[in-house]
Amino acid sequence: MRFLMVTTFYPPYNFGGDGYFVQQLSRDLVKAGHEVEVVHCTNAYRIKAGEPPPSPPHDDGVRVHSLASALGSLSPILTQQTGRPFLKRRALNRVFARGFDVINYHNISLIGGPAVLAMGDATKVYTLHEHWWVCPTHVLWRYTGELCVTPTCLRCCLAQRTPPQPWRLQERWRARCLAKVDALLAPSHFTADRHRAWMETADVDVPLEVLPEYAPPFVESSERPADVPERYFLYVGRLSREKGVGTLLEAFAKRPNYPVVVIGDGPMADELRSSANANANVQWLGRVPRERLGAYYRHASALVFPSAGAETFGLTAVEALSCGTPVIATAAGGIVDVVTPDVGFIFAGVDALLSTLDRVWGNPDEARRLGSQGRRKYLESYTPATYLARYLDAVSRAAGRRRCSTEAYTKTT
């Protein structure tokens, strides 16, 4: 089949995990014998980060359309404000006109907004990598510093310096846009429930399936990285408020004998490092290339996942399980689908985290047992082969519904 991936970010023009996921899925589809093209917006990346870091060329068989408007940052700003791809419409139409069997929308926030869902003629699926459709700040994280239950969107936008989006008030228009999609794919039950609730309010019914995401296996290595201690806990992720890194540092300040290795970067990196200067047990490694990351997972006593926001899935937890490492996590949205009692621990608050750290540190045999079970869970549920089979099944069901809908419309007209 011929696939088109529609996404705001795509490496090297990329923030977060959704762009890397699209890249990996595209490559895996090509390996399976399909044709894949990707269209993304370079202006959306440049508006925040300027030019992307140098990236080596990859002959991976994926054709990439990198859209760039002559008006620069005005293009994604207009899309963010209007929910429509004004300055990219012609370029997008040229890509869509190339003819595809499947159009898979991913992060569409700055590539075209809701209106892009109506473009193109093919089986359409929309993968919900984040909560953008139901939350203008994408993360369901309230300005009060807690998970969003009752929306206060304007105050949250102002607090998080996100320009308010007037088009979000046009619920009927948004519902019509979403109705153009043949299937929604949610990576967790939490994410699925939040989007079902919105559809019920907006009186639109799009088939929605829970399709857990996946992590490619890391390169096998038995050697412990030279820059870490013999035993340590691990954090991998963005250094931002909603990721709960403050809770992590507070806990390890009370357990100075437990080393913790922090991998990642983000808007709070400098602030967090300065606040942790007195904590000799905190080791900051910044960004680590994926080809080296597996060794850090594999030799950790446990991955600590302290997120306070609403995770759509929990990719780093799956990466830890793939390396046979247990996970200590908060009940942050979709992460509870991944971190079950047979592979790790769920905690709430610093005191609970401290007791769990003590348990893991004092019982390495239990940690190894949980890690071994986590590895089995990964092999059963989160491998590329497992995802691809489920994904193609979901696409096939969406195509069947589209054919039935088209035939029904033809008969009535």
Side-chain angles (χ1 to χ4, degrees), residues 373-396:
Q373 293 173 170
R375 171 69 177 170
R376 284 198 294 272
K377 183 173 183 178
Y378 166 78
L379 293 174
E380 292 170 359
S381 304
Y382 302 121
T383 64
T386 299
Y387 182 88
L388 206 59
R390 293 173 176 171
Y391 172 79
L392 292 174
D393 283 347
V395 167
S396 178

Side-chain angles (χ1 to χ4, degrees), residues 231-298:
R231 297 184 68 194
Y232 59 92
F233 290 97
L234 179 67
Y235 171 85
V236 179
R238 186 169 169 79
L239 303 183
S240 58
R241 187 182 176 204
E242 72 276 5
K243 292 298 183 180
V245 189
T247 299
L248 179 88
L249 297 180
E250 182 182 350
F252 278 94
K254 297 178 179 180
R255 292 294 186 272
N257 294 329
Y258 298 170
V260 57
V261 174
V262 177
I263 293 176
D265 203 350
M268 294 184 67
D270 293 339
E271 176 186 341
L272 290 170
R273 289 191 186 102
S274 63
S275 68
N277 279 340
N279 297 357
N281 59 331
V282 181
Q283 185 173 350
W284 303 88
L285 296 187
R287 295 176 182 268
V288 172
R290 195 178 193 280
E291 57 268 22
R292 292 174 46 212
L293 191 56
Y296 291 95
Y297 278 120
R298 195 167 289 113

Side-chain angles (χ1 to χ4, degrees), residues 98-260:
R98 292 177 55 79
F100 298 94
D101 300 302
V102 180
I103 299 173
N104 191 165
Y105 299 97
H106 295 274
N107 175 352
I108 59 172
S109 59
L110 301 180
I111 187 72
V116 79
L117 299 176
M119 300 178 70
D121 183 18
T123 298
K124 297 181 178 182
V125 296
Y126 180 8
T127 304
L128 305 171
H129 296 288
E130 53 186 7
H131 302 290
W132 170 78
W133 190 267
V134 297
C135 174
T137 64
H138 302 218
V139 293
L140 285 175
W141 176 250
R142 294 190 69 190
Y143 69 97
T144 53
E146 58 190 344
L147 181 67
C148 177
V149 177
T150 303
T152 52
C153 297
L154 179 59
R155 297 181 73 174
C156 285
C157 284
L158 295 176
Q160 299 187 36
R161 299 181 181 179
T162 299
Q165 298 145 50
W167 57 265
R168 287 187 177 271
L169 300 176
Q170 304 172 40
E171 193 171 84
R172 294 181 64 183
W173 171 73
R174 293 175 64 193
R176 289 195 298 272
C177 291
L178 195 64
K180 300 294 184 181
V181 176
D182 300 298
L184 297 174
L185 305 179
S188 68
H189 290 87
F190 176 89
T191 302
D193 290 344
R194 282 302 182 101
H195 286 79
R196 284 196 188 98
W198 185 91
M199 286 193 289
E200 289 177 4
T201 301
D203 194 24
V204 60
D205 184 17
V206 178
L208 193 159
E209 300 187 30
V210 175
L211 181 62
E213 294 182 1
Y214 70 103
F218 290 101
V219 176
E220 291 290 338
S221 173
S222 59
E223 294 185 5
R224 175 169 50 87
D227 55 353
V228 296
E230 184 175 351
R231 297 184 68 194
Y232 59 92
F233 290 97
L234 179 67
Y235 171 85
V236 179
R238 186 169 169 79
L239 303 183
S240 58
R241 187 182 176 204
E242 72 276 5
K243 292 298 183 180
V245 189
T247 299
L248 179 88
L249 297 180
E250 182 182 350
F252 278 94
K254 297 178 179 180
R255 292 294 186 272
N257 294 329
Y258 298 170
V260 57

